[in-house]
Amino acid sequence: MSDLLTELTHGAREDAQARRAVTPLAAVEDAAAAADAPLDALAALAPADRVKIIAEVKRASPSRGDLADIPDPAHLASLYASGGASAISVLTEGRRFKGSLDDLSAVKQTVPVPVLRKDFVSDPYQVFEARAAGADMVLLIVAALDQGQLRELHGLVTDLGMTSLVEAHTAEELDRALELDAKLIGINARNLKTFDLDRDLFGTLSSTIPAGVVKVAESAVAGPDDVAHYREAGADVVLIGEALVTSDPVSTLHRFLAV
């Protein structure tokens, strides 16, 4: 892993361990078991005659710094849902993205669509707390995990009734995602080792993803042309954050969905 990805993953794990010192694993497991059943994310994101969008609640990023204040993430998420988003992504990493599990819980209580926990997940505790907070999906970044960890976490996500969004950036990472028989695979145009962008990467890699897998294009979306580019390359879903939090989200979603 790169220094930045190592930093993000290690920091998220440290923060999870601090929460675990306050709320033991057994208590979080009980809360996960008591939570309402997760929504079927694969059904919500299934291929259709138009592109689908996962709209992201995103305050900041390491590459761009502060993006938006977002004092009420649930309100923003409700705008996303009303604007046609098929799912909501909530960044819960606190150090560099300024998110939290409280954001996810608030969003989940407000919107009728599936909710993704987007974080640097490397510990089963984080999966249980995602479910306890109401998550329907959990992001698993192939580059941040060895294959044993990836298999363990994907299995746990599945056992808890959620869906893994397994994210790859290279052909080798995509092979590892496919080895899991993952049904929701994201290709991230952003290289998490350098944070550089390559909008054409999705088209390069997605042709090897078999039928029956929902294909998600992530990052490098500034306008409708970018969404159209991904759609033409075979994307079923596009995950969008920055372009939505820095604009009027409903009108922007309408423009993106019209491609």
Side-chain angles (χ1 to χ4, degrees):
M1 284 190 293
S2 71
D3 287 346
L4 181 57
L5 185 55
T6 299
E7 174 200 324
L8 291 166
T9 304
H10 181 72
R13 191 179 184 102
E14 276 190 343
D15 292 343
Q17 290 170 344
R19 293 191 296 272
R20 184 170 181 164
V22 176
T23 308
L25 176 60
V28 176
E29 288 175 336
D30 289 345
D36 291 341
L39 299 177
D40 186 342
L42 290 176
L45 299 173
D49 58 2
R50 65 167 179 83
V51 71
K52 295 184 176 180
I53 290 177
I54 301 175
E56 190 159 86
V57 176
K58 182 177 186 179
R59 292 190 176 90
S61 77
S63 61
R64 295 297 299 273
D66 289 347
L67 297 172
D69 187 27
I70 314 181
D72 188 348
H75 176 67
L76 176 59
S78 69
L79 293 176
Y80 286 160
S82 69
S86 295
I88 309 297
S89 170
V90 182
L91 269 154
T92 60
E93 195 276 341
R95 299 188 184 195
R96 303 294 290 272
F97 292 88
K98 300 185 178 181
S100 71
L101 281 163
D102 288 341
D103 289 347
L104 191 149
S105 296
V107 168
K108 180 60 183 177
Q109 292 167 26
T110 305
V111 299
V113 297
V115 175
L116 166 72
R117 181 184 187 182
K118 193 174 184 188
D119 208 323
F120 298 85
V121 172
S122 63
D123 188 312
Y125 185 87
Q126 294 166 290
V127 176
F128 280 109
E129 64 181 2
R131 181 79 283 273
D136 307 289
M137 296 178 281
V138 176
L139 178 70
L140 299 178
I141 301 172
V142 175
L145 304 164
D146 65 38
Q147 198 64 8
Q149 290 175 304
L150 188 59
R151 194 176 297 112
E152 176 191 16
L153 293 169
H154 174 66
L156 179 57
V157 169
T158 303
D159 288 347
L160 291 175
M162 298 183 290
T163 301
S164 300
L165 171 56
V166 183
E167 177 183 298
H169 180 74
T170 67
E172 185 269 337
E173 290 172 13
L174 179 55
D175 287 343
R176 291 175 57 200
L178 292 171
E179 184 184 313
L180 299 174
D181 196 29
K183 297 303 183 187
L184 184 64
I185 291 180
I187 303 297
N188 195 345
R190 188 176 298 282
N191 183 338
L192 293 179
K193 297 180 179 180
T194 63
F195 267 61
D196 292 338
L197 290 170
D198 178 3
R199 194 184 69 159
D200 294 325
L201 182 70
F202 178 87
T204 301
L205 297 182
S206 64
S207 61
T208 64
I209 299 176
V213 177
V214 179
K215 294 175 282 189
V216 183
E218 304 175 38
S219 300
V221 175
D225 288 349
D226 299 310
V227 178
H229 179 82
Y230 282 140
R231 182 63 169 169
E232 290 163 8
D236 303 307
V237 182
V238 180
L239 191 153
I240 306 170
E242 182 177 333
L244 293 174
V245 300
T246 58
S247 67
D248 176 82
V250 174
S251 63
T252 303
L253 272 170
H254 287 168
R255 288 190 293 114
F256 288 166
L257 288 166
V259 302

